[in-house]
Amino acid sequence: MPSPQPPTSRIPRRPLLPPAPLDDVDRAILALLVDDGRMPNAEIARRVGIPESTCAGRVRSLLASRTVRGIHADVDLASVGRPMEAMIALQFTGHAREAMDAVRARIAEVPGVIAAYHVSGRTDFLVHVCAASSDELRDLVLDHLTSLAGVAHAETSLIFERIEGGHTWDPAGARGRDRARRP
């Protein structure tokens, strides 16, 4: 008897390759890419002090391990006709894995969804959305989010202002912080 196949609707949660420990060169490359994702490989190599071929291989490895999940443009949504942003908090009646997997897959396909977060606490999902108008936002919530199977409650919070943070990680790593604290 053939072994059962895993469900095809399951969304992978792990990187394709396990991430290797980052060394100082990887951290320097990451810091440069975060500051300017369009920086040419030759410039990254020059600034880090490694050959271009080594640098290209390091960047490929960071992408393959999903340490770098993508390099993208940060588009001003208002300038492309989507000035309204909101966070939608969704609460569900049940929490079966299959149902949550289906919700994640469905949310990812909803037009206007920027990102969604499966979170702990009273809220099960936070969904960051954008829309052209309040009517479109209302329709997005009613037609696509509150209609999901199992949604018990949805709460919409308009985003008035987005405040960007700096680096979300320390390019020097823990060792660099320890050295900086020593007299």
Side-chain angles (χ1 to χ4, degrees):
M1 177 179 275
S3 62
Q5 295 295 319
T8 57
S9 64
R10 184 154 234 172
I11 297 170
R13 292 187 186 91
R14 301 270 188 259
L16 301 176
L17 299 172
L22 299 177
D23 63 15
D24 291 341
V25 172
D26 290 326
R27 290 180 196 288
I29 291 170
L30 288 172
L32 291 169
L33 288 173
V34 167
D35 287 340
D36 180 2
R38 293 175 43 150
M39 184 178 293
N41 182 66
E43 181 63 15
I44 296 170
R46 185 187 70 71
R47 289 190 189 188
V48 174
I50 59 175
E52 288 181 34
S53 60
T54 301
C55 184
R58 293 279 189 130
V59 171
R60 274 193 304 275
S61 293
L62 291 168
L63 287 163
S65 68
R66 302 230 353 114
T67 299
V68 174
R69 295 183 299 183
I71 299 171
H72 61 276
D74 183 11
V75 176
D76 175 46
L77 295 171
S79 70
V80 294
R82 318 272 306 159
M84 296 199 71
E85 288 186 65
M87 287 296 253
I88 318 300
L90 299 176
Q91 294 176 352
F92 286 81
T93 57
H95 298 91
R97 178 177 296 278
E98 295 81 21
M100 292 296 104
D101 286 348
V103 166
R104 282 201 320 275
R106 178 111 182 266
I107 286 174
E109 296 172 353
V110 172
V113 169
I114 296 168
Y117 308 93
H118 189 180
V119 297
S120 64
R122 279 186 352 172
T123 296
D124 295 303
F125 282 88
L126 288 173
V127 185
H128 183 190
V129 300
C130 65
S133 66
S134 59
D135 288 341
E136 185 179 300
L137 176 61
R138 179 203 57 225
D139 293 346
L140 186 154
V141 173
L142 293 176
D143 296 342
H144 296 286
L145 298 178
T146 59
S147 64
L148 292 169
V151 171
H153 180 74
E155 183 175 328
T156 302
S157 297
L158 292 179
I159 297 173
F160 294 129
E161 178 182 15
R162 183 191 306 204
I163 300 147
E164 300 288 336
H167 285 292
T168 56
W169 56 280
D170 177 11
R175 290 186 327 249
R177 282 194 308 273
D178 292 342
R179 271 187 260 142
R181 286 187 204 144
R182 292 184 188 142

